[in-house]
Amino acid sequence: MAFPPGFLDELRARLSLSDIVGRKVSLKRRSGAEYAGLCPFHNEKTPSFTVNDKKGFFYCFGCHEKGSAIDFVMKTEGLSFPETVEKLAREVNLPVPVATPAERERADRASTLQQVVEMAAVWFQKQLRLPVGRQGLDYLRGRGLSDATIDDFRLGFAPDSRDGLLAALKRENVPLDKIVEAGLAIRPEDGRDPYDRFRGRVMFVINDRRGRAIAFGGRVMGTGEPKYLNSPETPLFHKGANLYCLDRARQAATKDQPVIVAEGYMDVIALHGAGFTGAVAPLGTALTEGQLGELWKLADEPFLCFDGDNAGRRAMSRAAERALPLLRPGKSLRFLTLPAGEDPDSLIRTKGPDAVRRVLDLARPLSDVVWELETEGKPADTPERRASLQQSVEQRVAEIADPVVRDYYRTEMRNRLNRMRRPEAPAWQPGKFRKPFRRPGDPEPAPFAAGSAARRSGLDLDASRQEWGLLGALIERPALLHILAEDLAALPITSPDLGRLRSGLLDALSLVPSGVDPAADEAAGDPSLEAELIGQHLQRMGLAQLAASARAKAREAFRDDPTDADGWVGQWRRAARHVSHLRSDPEELKRAEDALAEDMSEENLRRLHAVLDRMRRESLESNAL
């Protein structure tokens, strides 16, 4: 029985070799997509049998057996090739084509259509280098593409002509029906003559998994709509089952290149040019279940990179929602957050490949995005609102089909909800002091003078000023966040506003890679990528105004050139210790005052004066920070 080549390609793409081999062999992951185990084809005590999911084959270094998933089932279960194909197709819910004359005719037709698409790709490439394609060539060069890159990706141009491609293909004796069936021309329903689908556009060739041209995407020149136009569904092309540059990414994944999903064709080409050859893009649709399956064959946790605008955030949310029900152990997504107004292409052109590597270091897990989906912009300042938040988060987690992954997500989200429940420490309130015993004619003791409450209030205000400055310093220099996270969490903050700002900063820890040099961005003289992302994160949480006030306080409170031997870290910790002293001193002052009220002894009086002297001294020192 003969199977159409397209069917076998689809079957191999849907199969997970490690899952199939794992039914017979106990496999242990070596690295990435490679596994090892004892060979089922000969007796051995030391594992020499390897399985590589990305490359789709197994190999034994002992007996030299090798092959694909189909070969493994044939050899271990004694089935014929047709029997094996039918068995595996049933397991992945792929209908087995019937080997009828009609099926063979369909396979032949698909092969012919692929030839037609290839002819169109060659024609589009030629037009780009002719005077008629000057506008398209200028556009591509203006986007920073070299001639070598243009040729490598087979970029072309569709002239703004009603029948330019039609006429060219007819001259090659291609039947009109084939041109329409390949998605290259449109036949009006009112009986008018067919016309070219793509006109006045830069053309991008879309390949199948084996690198054969099967469809096109076209970007309009000028202000026409739609901006991007893709080929329609055809016998060759199914948008939801393919990705732009999937054939290149499959090769890159075998070399452990990161798999990055960008939004547009130019983003993918820019990423490839910067060395990230595992980059792909959806084909004019939101990420589909089929495309997620393709991505998970290449990498356990592919990176999703969306533009730093509202449309990019919506796309990120849709991808997270689509992925949740499909999660299984070891298979997830990581999300790259770009600064507002940036896309991968612009980021590479302005800041170079290192900026992409840094963004990869800042990638957030899917759990962070799920949390944001349900909490962003939703207040949680009352028990009822927190209960509503918990309900929506748990409903979202319930969408995960795999019970093990769902249980871990439920635990993670409950931990986050519990952190929200912890109340901020109440602001210290001076107690009512008892009036001490006083002989007639004795002077009023200084601590009970009319200005004592004002002095305590002044110390409290000084502590608040320092709190603002401490948080603002971390917004200004986010590389300090990982170093000072525990210090920040322990800081005795009393203001509810500052408590919210601190929570926002601690939530933003995932946007800053550990080990970043705090002085690196100072030396560069430009705002760091982390600072931009944290600023946008705080803005989404409704904390932008508080953050701006804190940064202003930080510029007042901290020296530009810290004299502390440990630099910014030492200066921050010294200021934090001072705030802790200020917050604890009123309690100590109250105890000293109470002791003096109970017993007007010289010892208690000296103790009170010592506390006051230290508070005045530290207040003066704080002004020099």
Side-chain angles (χ1 to χ4, degrees), residues 185-242:
I186 297 174
R187 176 181 279 131
E189 295 181 358
D190 59 8
R192 288 179 297 150
D193 292 337
Y195 57 89
D196 288 352
R197 179 178 298 275
F198 300 100
R199 303 184 304 279
R201 294 176 181 270
V202 166
M203 300 299 292
F204 299 84
V205 179
I206 300 171
N207 296 332
D208 64 9
R209 299 182 189 90
R210 296 167 63 183
R212 299 172 300 185
I214 57 172
F216 296 96
R219 189 201 189 281
V220 71
M221 294 289 94
T223 58
E225 292 293 338
K227 183 177 179 180
Y228 280 94
L229 177 67
N230 289 324
S231 294
E233 295 282 319
T234 71
L236 291 176
F237 177 54
H238 305 288
K239 293 181 184 180
N242 202 353

Side-chain angles (χ1 to χ4, degrees), residues 86 265 417 514 539 555:
E86 290 176 359
Y265 301 127
L417 287 163
S514 58
Q539 184 174 21
R555 296 187 188 109

Side-chain angles (χ1 to χ4, degrees), residues 102 187 277 375 460:
R187 176 181 279 131
T277 53
T375 62
D460 190 62

Side-chain angles (χ1 to χ4, degrees), residues 58-288:
F58 64 87
Y59 181 74
C60 177
F61 289 90
C63 66
H64 307 296
E65 284 283 357
K66 62 178 186 261
S68 66
I70 296 173
D71 297 317
F72 184 84
V73 173
M74 288 175 62
K75 292 177 181 181
T76 57
E77 300 186 20
L79 300 177
S80 67
F81 178 76
E83 291 170 335
T84 301
V85 170
E86 290 176 359
K87 169 185 169 66
L88 294 175
R90 286 194 299 271
E91 291 181 4
V92 295
N93 297 317
L94 182 64
V96 178
V98 180
T100 63
E103 291 296 334
R104 286 194 290 271
E105 181 183 351
R106 186 177 296 116
D108 292 341
R109 187 168 76 250
S111 176
T112 301
L113 290 179
Q114 197 279 315
Q115 294 174 14
V116 173
V117 174
E118 175 61 29
M119 293 170 67
V122 172
W123 188 80
F124 287 138
Q125 284 181 271
K126 288 181 180 178
Q127 303 312 300
L128 184 67
R129 301 293 180 172
L130 295 176
V132 71
R134 173 60 59 184
Q135 184 183 11
L137 188 60
D138 288 345
Y139 167 79
L140 294 172
R141 287 174 174 169
R143 295 291 297 266
L145 301 189
S146 66
D147 285 352
T149 299
I150 292 171
D151 291 340
D152 182 30
F153 285 87
R154 305 189 67 190
L155 304 182
F157 186 74
D160 193 5
S161 166
R162 182 177 176 85
D163 60 354
L165 177 61
L166 269 169
L169 293 177
K170 286 178 179 178
R171 286 195 295 271
E172 298 295 328
N173 298 317
V174 179
L176 178 60
D177 287 347
K178 296 296 182 186
I179 300 173
V180 173
E181 189 177 11
L184 300 171
I186 297 174
R187 176 181 279 131
E189 295 181 358
D190 59 8
R192 288 179 297 150
D193 292 337
Y195 57 89
D196 288 352
R197 179 178 298 275
F198 300 100
R199 303 184 304 279
R201 294 176 181 270
V202 166
M203 300 299 292
F204 299 84
V205 179
I206 300 171
N207 296 332
D208 64 9
R209 299 182 189 90
R210 296 167 63 183
R212 299 172 300 185
I214 57 172
F216 296 96
R219 189 201 189 281
V220 71
M221 294 289 94
T223 58
E225 292 293 338
K227 183 177 179 180
Y228 280 94
L229 177 67
N230 289 324
S231 294
E233 295 282 319
T234 71
L236 291 176
F237 177 54
H238 305 288
K239 293 181 184 180
N242 202 353
L243 294 156
Y244 183 59
C245 284
L246 176 60
D247 55 319
R248 295 172 181 250
R250 292 178 71 194
Q251 298 177 27
T254 64
K255 302 173 184 177
D256 292 325
Q257 278 278 330
V259 175
I260 305 173
V261 183
E263 289 190 78
Y265 301 127
M266 289 300 297
D267 292 329
V268 171
I269 293 172
L271 285 165
H272 278 253
F276 302 95
T277 53
V280 296
L283 301 167
T285 63
L287 208 59
T288 67

Side-chain angles (χ1 to χ4, degrees), residues 12 597 616:
R12 292 187 183 99
R616 292 189 191 99

Side-chain angles (χ1 to χ4, degrees), residues 422-444:
R422 295 172 189 168
E424 295 293 336
W428 175 81
Q429 296 292 335
K432 293 183 178 180
F433 304 113
R434 288 171 291 175
K435 189 177 179 77
F437 171 78
R438 188 163 53 91
R439 295 185 182 89
D442 284 350
E444 184 81 17

